[in-house]
Structures are given as C-alpha cells and as structure tokens.
Amino acid sequence: MLIPVDLGSRSYTIAVECGALAMVGDHLRPLGLGGKAVLVSDAAIRRLYGTRVAESLTTAGFSVTELDVPEGEPAKSLAVAERCWDALLSAGIDRTSTVLALGGGAVGDLAGFVAATYMRGVNFVQLPTTVLAQVDASIGGKTAIDHPRAKNLIGSFHQPRLVVVDPATIGSLPEREYRSGLAEMVKHGCVLDAGYFDDMERSAAALLGRDLGHVERLIAGSCRLKARVVEQDERDAELRNVLNYGHTIGHALEAASEYQRWTHGEAVALGIVAEARLAHRLGEATADTVARQRALLEALGLPTRIEGVDPAVVLAAIKRDKKARDGRIPFVLAPEIGRFRLVTDVKDDDVLAALGA
Ligand code: GLY
C-alpha cells in the first residue's frame, strides 16, 4: 500500500507492506538520488534486518556504508551525533547522498537529526521497525536529540524522502514493546477517526495475536491518519497538537517516574484514560466515550490505572512540558470518539481530579 504525504516540494510516499524491507532499493531508486547511502542502525536491529536492507540497496546500485549507534534513547545524544557526522565525512557523503534510519523511534530521531544538520541537510529515509515508529515517529519530519535536562529539546523539522514500513518486523518485538505501539494507534482512532476506532475494537484480539493481515491494514490506516494531520500542519503550529492526545499527561507520568516505570506507550495509554476523564469532568464527553477508550486499551493489554504516583508531582511535570504557552497547558480532548477539541484553560483542580479519580 502506498500512502502519499502531500507537502509540495517536500512530498513523499509511505510504503506499507509485509516484506518491504527487502525492497527498499526498489523504492529508493526512482527518486533519482546520488549513489551513496548510509544505513544507521543499532547492533540488534542490524543483525535482524541489516543484511536484507543493505543487499536491496546494493542491488539497486547504491554503495552502502553501515553505521552502528547505541540502542534506544542513549543514541539521542550530541556525542553520538558527532560520531555520525565524522562517519559521514569519512564515507564521502555529500548533499546528493542518503541517510537511512533502520530501527525504532530513537534511531529515526537521531539519524534524522544528523541528516538534517550535516551539510545543512541531506536526503533521509525512514525504515521503522517498531509499531510506535511505524505509525507515528517516522512520519512528519520531527528529528531530535535529547538535552541532559529534557528529551527531544534539540532538533529540527526535516522530512524524509521516503518511509518504508514492513509490518512483518513486529514478529521480533518483545510483547511489552509491541503493545506499547498499539497505544499510538488507539490515540489516532480516539481523536481522528471513529471508523478506525471501531475497526480496532473489532480487531483487538487479532491485533493481540499479531495477525499480520489485521496488523498491516491497521498500521496502514494509522499511517494515513497521521499523514493527513502532517499535511495540514507540517510545522506543528496548531492542528498537529491533536497528536498529543494522551501525551500531556503521558509525558508527565513518564517524567514523574523518571522514565523507569512505564514504556512511552503505556504512559500514553494512562494519559488517554486520564484525559478522557478530564473531558468528562469538563462536560465535554459522555461516560460512555470514556469507557470505550478504557475498554479498548484494556483489550489490547495496556495499563489503564494510574497508581503509585503523586498527582501533585505529575501536575508539576505537566507544567514543565515544552508545549506550555505562557504558563498555560494545551490539552487535547475527545468530546466523541473520532473528534477533538484543543483547550488551554484547564484548571489545576480538574487535572488533579482526572489523575486521581
Ligand atoms: N508525534 C507527534 C508528531 O509527530 O507531531
């Protein structure tokens, strides 16, 4: 399935298909880019998928340099970015060349940042191998490294030239990581598309069982929803905030627990439940709308009860969110499944009640 992302001169295609990692070269060649490619990955992902991607690039006529970075969030540091710039220079990478990120969201964020900054920007391709990266992080051109005091603080928008999503890679994901990615798909349904949410409800058992037919259809659906938002608000001016549903409280839960207790997706699941409750408390959503969101997350094996954190600590973390504007925190609410409303005037007591209810 080919999903266009229409951004004028920065347009690109998301190719979603089981087995697509063996066809990266075929997708890349028609773009008419230079002959040098750098494949950025971590050692574990490279062992699983590196050979098939490198071979497909070589067969398509590219010369490939492979570059390993640390696994997970430690990849997103200035020191690692500097090592990558050095490696690109040594490999003779120029503005016609392409940096490809093979792996989860962290590899994509780092490699995108390196591609955005080296020589003021070289071609970039996303090859996401986690559900979270496939339906969210790889689409839309957000790139970043972490600052010691805040995640994703240093970065830029740099759209990829191509995204290749191979849903068969979910076969190698640990159960907890797989389920965590499903939370971002639920998010898309909650605020963007009631029909998609219904489909997820009907397919929950198949998703949990990793039935590839259902997984491919729903991952593609989620990519399409994200693409439509990015097309309308490439630079995160307003509408793109809708993708923050469940994240205002989710990010704060992660920060308040020092990123130890929940995965990002688990924190987003808890954030969705709390923000759904907030909408109900503010008279925006019915109890049934809240219950459906909680039930779907539970059916997908995600946590829905916020326990063991002090709501006041979470509220303090919300106030430090980099999306805060003049001290006011923007929240996305879902008045009905598939619809959203952005609000900025939520009172502390209502947030505390949603967290503690
Ligand atoms: N992950 C949220 C966004 O891409 O805007």
Side-chain angles (χ1 to χ4, degrees), residues 136-137 139-142 157 184 187 226 229-230 233 236 240-241 243-244 247 323:
D136 190 15
I139 304 163
K142 282 190 179 174
F157 287 95
E184 298 286 358
K187 172 193 82 176
K226 169 123 193 206
V229 172
V230 169
D233 181 16
D236 216 358
R240 198 161 165 172
N241 270 316
L243 301 172
N244 219 32
H247 284 62
K323 293 209 189 285

Side-chain angles (χ1 to χ4, degrees), residues 95-317:
R95 278 224 176 129
T96 68
S97 311
T98 304
V99 172
L100 299 97
L102 173 64
V107 169
D109 283 359
L110 166 82
F113 177 74
V114 169
T117 46
Y118 180 80
M119 292 191 174
R120 299 202 184 92
V122 297
N123 304 307
F124 179 49
V125 169
Q126 289 270 22
L127 310 174
T129 59
T130 63
V131 177
L132 187 146
Q134 290 172 346
V135 302
D136 190 15
S138 67
I139 304 163
K142 282 190 179 174
T143 77
I145 56 172
D146 296 332
H147 184 275
R149 279 167 33 207
K151 282 194 175 200
N152 293 328
L153 200 71
I154 315 296
S156 76
F157 287 95
H158 187 61
Q159 297 294 342
R161 302 294 302 261
L162 169 72
V163 180
V164 178
V165 174
D166 183 346
T169 55
I170 63 153
S172 63
L173 293 179
E175 190 61 26
R176 202 170 163 201
E177 189 170 0
Y178 172 65
R179 292 182 189 195
S180 295
L182 301 179
E184 298 286 358
M185 296 165 65
V186 173
K187 172 193 82 176
H188 286 152
C190 289
V191 284
L192 293 171
D193 189 335
Y196 181 79
F197 189 95
D198 293 346
D199 194 355
M200 284 203 79
E201 283 181 327
R202 284 192 304 271
S203 311
L207 277 174
L208 262 193
R210 305 197 197 196
D211 177 298
L212 272 185
H214 285 80
V215 169
E216 183 171 324
R217 182 185 76 256
L218 287 161
I219 283 181
S222 207
C223 291
R224 200 175 292 113
L225 290 171
K226 169 123 193 206
R228 294 300 84 88
V229 172
V230 169
E231 283 174 344
Q232 293 171 70
D233 181 16
E234 182 183 2
R235 309 282 293 198
D236 216 358
E238 184 160 8
L239 176 69
R240 198 161 165 172
N241 270 316
V242 69
L243 301 172
N244 219 32
Y245 185 55
H247 284 62
T248 306
I249 289 178
H251 279 148
L253 287 168
E254 285 183 281
S257 60
E258 295 181 346
Y259 298 91
Q260 299 300 317
R261 182 152 166 211
W262 295 290
T263 64
H264 175 67
E266 289 167 349
V268 168
L270 293 169
I272 288 174
V273 173
E275 291 175 22
R277 275 198 309 236
L278 181 63
H280 181 52
R281 192 179 158 86
L282 297 175
E284 296 269 350
T286 64
D288 181 58
T289 299
V290 181
R292 278 185 73 191
Q293 295 174 75
R294 178 201 285 276
L296 177 54
L297 293 163
E298 268 169 9
L300 296 172
L302 286 157
T304 56
R305 276 176 203 288
I306 301 173
E307 285 162 338
V309 277
D310 179 351
V313 175
V314 180
L315 182 64

